[in-house]
Amino acid sequence: MILFVTGAGGFLGRAVVDAARAAGHDVRALVRDPARWSGPAPDDHLRLVAGDLRAAGPWTEALDGVDVVVHLAATKAGDLHSQFAGTVVGTERLLAALAERPPTRLVHVSTFSVYDYDRLAVGAVLDEDAALVARPETRDEYCQTKLVQERLVRRFAAEATTEVVVVRPGAVWGPGELWDGGGLVGLGPGRTLVVGPRGALKLTYVTNCAEAIVAAATAPGAAGATLNVVDDDPPTPRRFAAALGAAGLQVPRGVPVPYGLVAGVAALLAALNRRFAGGRAKLPGIVVPAKLAAWAKPLRYPNDRARTVLGWRPRLDLDAAARDCADRSGSTS
């Protein structure tokens, strides 16, 4: 099977390329600059395709003969204009190209950020049936643009013959991306604020996540499905930091604060902001209720649907993933 992977040069994209090759697939990896490619060397089963989804170019010709497109490309940093261009405009151009060269399946990689955490009570289950964000303006630019991106893909799915699978990973971690061991805000050298220390983290190790995405490319029952991807037994911040530390990885020391306390402060500041500044005052994200809820509200994160539909199991548990991360990052002590 031939897979066309957008965003192949990114953190998760490189892992998807590796997982696809390990599964025996041929890969056409779309990268902006092949000279900066840090993955395996191209060969008969891996072709680097130079291009930018935001602009028409020869990359569209590389879609000929492709069985599955895995769409990972998105812009995670910058202002709303930059993220809109990288995430939304790029997706519009890709979908237009797929209408002319339709593959059998499109696996769109979305995110947990599109969920409306405000509607969920503390301790509730967040699964694929949870509501999506109703007021995206209360969230960050990444949430806003990924929400529009997913809507575009679903509109394409309703009109095209191509099968569409939407995969929503939780927080993807791995070498160079440790999420501060579960911390939310840096407190100076070697310390980080952990909000809701008893809550589960919606984590998925990059290798596990990549293998789920590749499984979504081929699983017969996945067509039309929406699947959350998180690892088994999501850890608390303390458990996560302990596993990283045991593997020799350096993470800041967590300073725990109850979620309810921070949420109360955020609600009070939001009320004061509305009362005295018409809601126009720019506050740190940690005291913006909608953002705080998305980042730290203690919830439960099942992965039953992905396990059932894909026949997928997270291959590496937390401790094995931490050791693998340390080995691959070369930062053991």
Side-chain angles (χ1 to χ4, degrees):
M1 183 172 287
I2 301 175
L3 273 60
F4 184 95
V5 180
T6 74
F11 171 61
L12 180 55
R14 292 192 302 272
V16 168
V17 170
D18 290 341
R21 283 163 52 87
H25 303 302
D26 291 346
V27 178
R28 298 177 188 175
L30 181 66
V31 294
R32 291 186 183 179
D33 184 0
R36 299 179 63 183
W37 171 250
S38 59
D43 56 25
D44 291 342
H45 302 287
L46 172 60
R47 172 184 167 191
L48 297 185
V49 178
D52 186 332
L53 289 181
R54 295 172 297 180
W59 64 266
T60 59
E61 299 173 4
L63 292 169
D64 288 335
V66 164
D67 298 297
V68 178
V69 171
V70 178
H71 184 34
L72 287 147
T75 300
K76 295 183 177 182
D79 59 18
L80 183 59
H81 176 78
S82 298
Q83 293 195 43
F84 189 90
T87 300
V88 177
V89 174
T91 297
E92 288 176 327
R93 291 192 179 275
L94 174 66
L95 296 178
L98 296 187
E100 298 180 1
R101 296 176 167 87
T104 301
R105 180 172 290 185
L106 167 64
V107 177
H108 173 62
V109 181
S110 184
T111 170
F112 267 44
S113 290
V114 299
Y115 286 117
D116 196 333
Y117 294 81
D118 277 344
R119 299 194 192 186
L120 296 169
V122 170
V125 170
L126 190 156
D127 61 15
E128 293 86 350
D129 298 322
L132 302 189
V133 177
R135 297 179 59 219
E137 70 277 6
T138 64
R139 299 276 295 281
D140 59 21
E141 293 84 357
Y142 181 67
C143 166
Q144 294 174 47
T145 54
K146 289 294 286 186
L147 190 65
V148 174
Q149 182 191 48
E150 186 173 319
R151 287 172 178 166
L152 289 173
V153 170
R154 292 193 181 280
R155 186 183 306 162
F156 171 82
E159 300 171 351
T161 58
T162 297
E163 300 172 348
V164 174
V165 185
V166 175
V167 175
R168 294 178 181 150
V172 184
W173 70 281
E177 188 62 76
L178 302 181
W179 296 93
D180 276 350
L184 194 57
V185 177
L187 297 176
R191 290 180 179 271
T192 185
L193 186 69
V194 175
V195 178
R198 297 182 179 179
L201 297 172
K202 46 186 177 286
L203 296 173
T204 178
Y205 187 56
V206 62
T207 300
N208 293 337
C209 185
E211 291 174 353
I213 291 168
V214 172
T218 59
T226 298
L227 304 168
N228 287 352
V229 174
V230 289
D231 289 348
D232 296 336
D233 302 319
T236 64
R238 178 176 293 181
R239 173 75 179 92
F240 182 45
L244 298 179
L249 291 158
Q250 299 294 325
V251 293
R253 181 180 178 183
V255 178
V257 179
Y259 174 80
L261 175 60
V262 183
V265 171
L268 174 61
L269 291 177
L272 294 173
N273 188 6
R274 290 191 299 269
R275 175 67 177 82
F276 296 106
R280 293 185 297 272
K282 299 298 183 182
L283 300 174
I286 192 173
V287 290
V288 174
K291 294 180 181 179
L292 174 66
W295 294 343
K297 180 178 283 188
L299 299 169
R300 291 177 285 159
Y301 305 106
N303 61 8
D304 308 70
R305 193 173 299 182
R307 289 169 65 97
T308 300
V309 173
L310 302 179
W312 164 79
R313 302 290 184 273
R315 183 165 53 84
L316 299 174
D317 66 16
L318 177 61
D319 295 314
R323 292 191 296 269
D324 180 73
C325 181
D327 290 343
R328 291 168 56 193
S329 63
S331 60
T332 55
S333 58

